[in-house]
Amino acid sequence: MKRIYPDKEYCIGCGLCEIACLKAKSKSGDIHTAYLEERRKGLFARLKVGSNDLFSAALSCRHCPEPECVSACISGALFQDIKSGRSVYDAQKCVNCFACVAACSYAAVFPSPTGSGVVKCNLCVERPEGPACVEACPNMALIYEDREAACTT
């Protein structure tokens, strides 16, 4: 299955991937409205740009073949879709234990800033053209492809 892979050699930490994600998940579909208004009402990017003194990289769910976050979930809110292989989140089932956050070795499942539930990438399944973050990256630091070793690098 295709997954998003960050390339720290090309990421400049600009955050355009986060903005593109916000827009893609927004009700308005407008960057300005999504960033300035909908964000205040609980709209959050499904990935984060992490950085240190040497590198930056977008952190998003890898949809691992054997996801630790799914194994850690006590309520069934996170499950692996057998057909697609994606790790899927059902907010209705989440009990806010955040075991999935602790279990993810990629730091790609985040507690929701509202304090209720978690935020994670769904690979923009609603977009026929693929993940918005990959499309928006000016340096091609996000790669959307099928790799043999899905949860490495």
Side-chain angles (χ1 to χ4, degrees):
M1 99 173 237
K2 289 177 97 175
R3 294 171 172 86
I4 300 169
Y5 297 93
D7 188 336
K8 67 183 182 195
E9 300 297 324
Y10 292 100
C11 181
I12 59 172
C14 67
L16 287 175
C17 53
E18 293 175 345
I19 303 300
C21 181
L22 277 174
K23 180 183 178 232
K25 302 301 179 191
S26 72
K27 290 179 181 163
S28 67
D30 177 73
I31 285 179
H32 186 265
T33 304
Y35 188 79
L36 293 178
E37 296 174 28
E38 292 181 63
R39 219 167 37 126
R40 292 186 198 131
K41 298 175 184 169
L43 174 67
F44 305 103
R46 306 310 200 262
L47 76 161
K48 289 184 181 179
V49 175
S51 62
N52 62 25
D53 291 339
L54 300 173
F55 298 107
S56 297
L59 308 171
S60 66
C61 181
R62 297 279 180 98
H63 299 274
C64 299
E66 296 177 25
E68 295 296 323
C69 60
V70 170
S71 298
C73 182
I74 62 171
S75 67
L78 270 174
F79 61 94
Q80 190 170 33
D81 180 66
I82 303 304
K83 213 174 206 179
S84 69
R86 292 182 309 107
S87 299
V88 180
Y89 173 63
D90 181 348
Q92 301 299 317
K93 292 182 181 177
C94 185
V95 296
N96 299 319
C97 70
F98 303 115
C100 57
V101 174
C104 178
S105 55
Y106 294 98
V109 181
F110 317 107
S112 171
T114 65
S116 179
V118 297
V119 177
K120 69 172 287 308
C121 172
N122 73 349
L123 295 175
C124 286
V125 295
E126 67 282 355
R127 285 176 40 102
E129 60 269 48
C133 59
V134 174
E135 186 179 312
C137 183
N139 283 5
M140 296 183 284
L142 292 173
I143 302 137
Y144 186 52
E145 67 184 13
D146 193 348
R147 289 186 185 173
E148 193 77 22
C151 287
T152 60
T153 343

